[in-house]
Amino acid sequence: MSALDHGALDHIGVAPILLPLVAGVAMLLLGERRRPLKVVLNLASTLGLVALAWLLLERAATGAVDVYRLGDWPAPFGIVLVADRLAALMLLVTALLASAALPFALARWHSAGVHFHPLFQFLLMGLNGAFLTGDLFNLFVFFEVLLVASYGLALHGSGRTRVQAGLHYIAVNLAASALFLLGVSLLYGVTGTLNMADLATRIPLVAPAERPLLEAGAALLGIAFLVKAACWPLGFWLPSTYAAASAPVAALFAVMSKVGIYAIVRLWPLLFGAGSGASALFGADWLLWGGVATVAYGTLGVLASQDLARLAGYSVLVSSGTLLAVTATADANALGAALYYLATSTFALGAFFLLVELAERGRHAGADILAVTREAFGEDEGLPPPDEEVGVAIPATMAILGLAFLACALLIAGLPPLSGFIGKFALLDALFDPHGYAADGIAPTAWLLLALLLLSSLAALVALTRAGLRTFWIPLGRSVPRVRIIEMAPVALLLLLCVALTVQAGPALRYLRATAQALHAPQAYIGGVLAPAAEAR
Amino acid sequence: MEILVALAIGVLVGSGVWLMLRPRTFQVIVGLSLLSYAVNLFIFAMGRLSVAAAPVLDAGADAAQLADPVPQSLVLTAIVIGFATTALFLVVLLASRGLAGTDHVDGREPHA
């Protein structure tokens, strides 16, 4: 395809999976004692993933679909990894979020339990694999890899609340995995293939008598994805799990609920797009109303939340619901804007989860949680006393925390001047102008989504203002939390990424619109995957 | 044979779902296990039920007479993953029992 295609760069498609795998296994072999070495390995691997993701993004931006055939078997028979625009985008978002969550964890959280570093890498491996894989069964395998790692990370630091929330989280996800398998095997039974591109070519040809079975399989698969995306009424597990998880883990989880969204955004236009025969747009109403209900429920939750971590959890629901509802409109421009919103809200929520822990630290100093941790892991595995912690404390703590909180609030509520506003504005613009100015009137769905987006933004603004007042202005005799540079820098990094997205909104939106168009007209994807191996060389 | 396999899967799913909705963690884990057995049987059945079909290893056999190898490999993977996740759930279950002092899924007795 290009001059880069020879030598080591041939294998760049599989590198985002192999790098965290190798790093994770190496850290397991190192054992519990050699923490500094693991820190270095983890940092190197995470930063390496950022570089890899950027390289893949630059290649994908030309419109090329990078297909990596494992064992060089041709596509419908062998396993393929596909790096197109969407996959590269998700890889980059994940890697950037991870490179912010990791330094934050290094300040104190990574020593609150065992195996933090290997689990962190395995989670990244599962995420990267899920974004890259080109067939349904490997999607299941990578989902399980990332879920198993996330079970471990959700419980990191132990304590009663975490174990309780983790128990519910694991039970819900195991049930969802069963549905996932049922859906995959039904699709295989009807079409005889698991390769996504091959499925897309075979679904229009399925006989009418087999169609109910096919749609049942697709619906089961969809339910499994909606559980991961925390669609109402399948998402009650999310706020309590995210609120209970330790801050760096919760920040990383901000991209995990987006994996379900990714699977729907990838598969639904591919398998049930406008050109897929009798089953075209199958389930669009379910996606739309599921998204609407999720936003409504999330908005109520945001207003009702008393503590900041739960507020952040419900904000994740609002962002998931918005993305689902917009995906259901099956409009390429709206989807492009939605992907911009996805990147922004992932960074903003990641920053918010980190910030919550810093802001709450002054209130109860995390003493109750840390005490339980120390009890559960024994003295030597517990956290070091405060004066031995890593890094230098920053001055003017409250002012800086307040500023960061303000930026997060602007991003989550979608107010100018940051990228949250641009994301929501681009969304509404695309919804109201699907085919040029008022060519066929404005769809009722557009009005519904307009009301929904504005109301959820208003609710977020009200709730965040109230929470901000209560955290930063009202307390009189509160102690100023000790915040280290290494903890504040990740928050700043994520907020700066949002600023970068604001400044570079033009190129970013162009890339994302091209992504959405390629998703809705998947011929290049299908052709790239199914091309005979010799031709692709 | 189809009706027998279908009934077996149905009974497993029914009991699995019922147990999963019970309030004790041990019932939930047994329910999840039954559900995963049912799913494994279901995947296997999706390769069509056949008696004495040759494995795909047989060189020179008529391709139409071979058993479908894909569901077989899928079910193996699913069994391994299901086994691992069940073990993991068991650990969390025990941790929850130890920390909360009760085996209720919510960590406390409903009337307490």
Side-chain angles (χ1 to χ4, degrees):
Chain A
M1 275 175 267
S2 72
L4 288 173
D5 263 356
H6 294 289
L9 274 178
D10 253 354
H11 298 283
I12 191 177
V14 76
I17 299 172
L18 283 185
L19 179 63
L21 174 66
V22 171
V25 170
M27 285 189 252
L28 274 183
L29 293 178
L30 282 176
E32 257 316 292
R33 291 287 152 222
R34 304 167 70 177
R35 198 165 273 145
L37 190 53
K38 287 201 281 190
V39 168
V40 172
L41 258 177
N42 201 348
L43 273 174
S45 162
T46 309
L47 293 178
L49 283 177
V50 175
L52 275 174
W54 183 254
L55 213 57
L56 282 171
L57 188 94
E58 284 202 320
R59 280 164 65 125
T62 61
V65 178
D66 255 329
V67 180
Y68 185 85
R69 297 176 178 77
L70 289 159
D72 214 13
W73 285 83
F77 310 108
I79 292 168
V80 289
L81 302 174
V82 190
D84 64 345
R85 287 195 182 94
L86 180 63
L89 165 78
M90 298 305 292
L91 286 180
L92 188 63
V93 169
T94 308
L96 287 172
L97 192 66
S99 54
L102 181 61
F104 188 93
L106 294 183
R108 53 200 256 169
W109 277 108
H110 76 133
S111 49
V114 291
H115 296 315
F116 176 83
H117 294 288
L119 285 172
F120 192 90
Q121 286 298 317
F122 288 135
L123 180 63
L124 290 180
M125 172 199 165
L127 284 165
N128 290 349
F131 296 141
L132 283 173
T133 181
D135 77 291
L136 282 181
F137 197 76
N138 279 292
L139 188 63
F140 167 75
V141 172
F142 283 117
F143 260 69
E144 289 304 308
V145 170
L146 79 91
L147 284 173
V148 169
S150 80
Y151 302 154
L153 284 176
L155 296 175
H156 182 73
S158 196
R160 188 169 161 176
T161 343
R162 281 198 194 111
V163 171
Q164 217 51 62
L167 189 78
H168 297 175
Y169 173 62
I170 298 176
V172 168
N173 275 299
L174 289 183
S177 296
L179 291 178
F180 195 146
L181 278 173
L182 288 178
V184 166
S185 55
L186 264 174
L187 283 183
Y188 178 78
V190 175
T191 63
T193 184
L194 287 169
N195 185 289
M196 294 176 194
D198 202 22
L199 265 175
T201 60
R202 291 203 196 185
I203 279 178
L205 309 176
V206 170
E210 299 257 280
R211 227 158 243 292
L213 212 54
L214 173 87
E215 292 183 350
L220 281 174
L221 205 57
I223 291 174
F225 295 145
L226 290 178
V227 171
K228 318 281 189 229
C231 176
W232 187 88
L234 307 167
F236 298 123
W237 55 270
L238 190 141
S240 45
T241 309
Y242 282 32
S246 55
V249 173
L252 200 57
F253 279 12
V255 80
M256 273 210 9
S257 59
K258 303 293 187 287
V259 181
I261 307 269
Y262 161 82
I264 288 170
V265 167
R266 160 76 75 206
L267 289 174
W268 190 64
L270 182 66
L271 304 184
F272 297 103
S276 62
S279 297
L281 300 185
F282 167 71
D285 286 345
W286 286 95
L287 272 185
L288 177 67
W289 292 108
V292 169
T294 312
V295 175
Y297 173 68
T299 304
L300 290 180
V302 164
L303 283 176
S305 299
Q306 287 302 313
D307 71 289
L308 283 170
R310 286 192 82 83
L311 200 162
Y314 281 108
S315 305
V316 174
L317 286 187
V318 172
S319 117
S320 269
T322 310
L323 287 165
L324 286 176
V326 174
T327 308
T329 60
D331 177 57
N333 268 335
L335 186 59
L339 291 174
Y340 183 87
Y341 173 76
L342 181 148
T344 301
S345 74
T346 306
F347 292 143
L349 288 168
F352 194 55
F353 272 114
L354 296 181
L355 197 61
V356 164
E357 203 250 350
L358 298 180
E360 302 256 287
R361 193 177 283 171
R363 275 200 185 163
H364 44 68
D368 41 2
I369 307 168
L370 298 183
V372 176
T373 308
R374 199 158 297 166
E375 202 173 284
F377 279 93
E379 282 303 317
D380 55 331
E381 287 298 343
L383 284 170
D387 51 323
E388 282 177 25
E389 281 170 2
V390 188
V392 189
I394 55 172
T397 310
M398 288 318 280
I400 291 175
L401 283 182
L403 260 181
F405 186 88
L406 179 70
C408 280
L410 289 180
L411 281 166
I412 291 171
L415 291 183
L418 291 176
S419 55
F421 171 73
I422 297 178
K424 287 195 176 168
F425 186 81
L427 261 181
L428 291 176
D429 177 54
L431 286 173
F432 274 86
D433 183 26
H435 316 289
Y437 281 103
D440 48 359
I442 291 166
T445 340
W447 289 112
L448 176 71
L449 290 177
L450 168 80
L452 207 63
L453 271 177
L454 295 186
L455 278 178
S456 68
S457 298
L458 178 66
L461 188 65
V462 170
L464 286 166
T465 312
R466 194 183 53 187
L469 286 178
R470 213 171 42 209
T471 315
F472 293 102
W473 282 2
I474 292 175
L476 283 176
R478 64 172 285 167
S479 59
V480 175
R482 250 179 80 86
V483 175
R484 278 150 291 274
I485 292 173
I486 196 175
E487 287 173 311
M488 203 56 218
V491 179
L493 170 71
L494 288 174
L495 293 176
L496 279 178
L497 282 172
C498 290
V499 172
L501 270 177
T502 318
V503 176
Q504 292 296 318
L509 272 170
R510 256 199 304 284
Y511 175 88
L512 294 170
R513 288 215 172 101
T515 309
Q517 266 146 17
L519 285 170
H520 276 285
Q523 288 77 19
Y525 178 87
I526 296 171
V529 172
L530 294 182
E535 195 185 294
R537 278 299 153 114
Chain B
M1 184 164 68
E2 275 84 358
I3 193 87
L4 198 66
V5 173
L7 277 176
I9 295 175
V11 169
L12 278 174
V13 169
S15 4
V17 169
W18 189 76
L19 278 175
M20 238 171 67
L21 299 175
R22 303 293 301 157
R24 302 287 150 195
T25 47
F26 185 70
Q27 291 167 318
V28 173
I29 196 173
V30 173
L32 281 169
S33 305
L34 290 181
L35 196 63
S36 77
Y37 300 154
V39 169
N40 291 342
L41 278 175
F42 185 86
I43 300 173
F44 200 64
M46 273 297 120
R48 305 294 184 270
L49 297 172
S50 54
V51 177
V56 79
L57 298 168
D58 252 355
D62 178 10
Q65 300 299 314
L66 295 176
D68 189 343
V70 177
Q72 297 174 2
S73 53
L74 298 190
V75 86
L76 264 180
T77 318
I79 288 171
V80 173
I81 291 179
F83 200 64
T85 47
T86 307
L88 206 144
F89 190 63
L90 197 61
V91 173
V92 179
L93 182 159
L94 288 176
S96 161
R97 171 73 180 76
L99 286 170
T102 161
D103 65 346
H104 193 276
V105 286
D106 287 333
R108 57 172 179 272
E109 296 300 324
H111 49 78

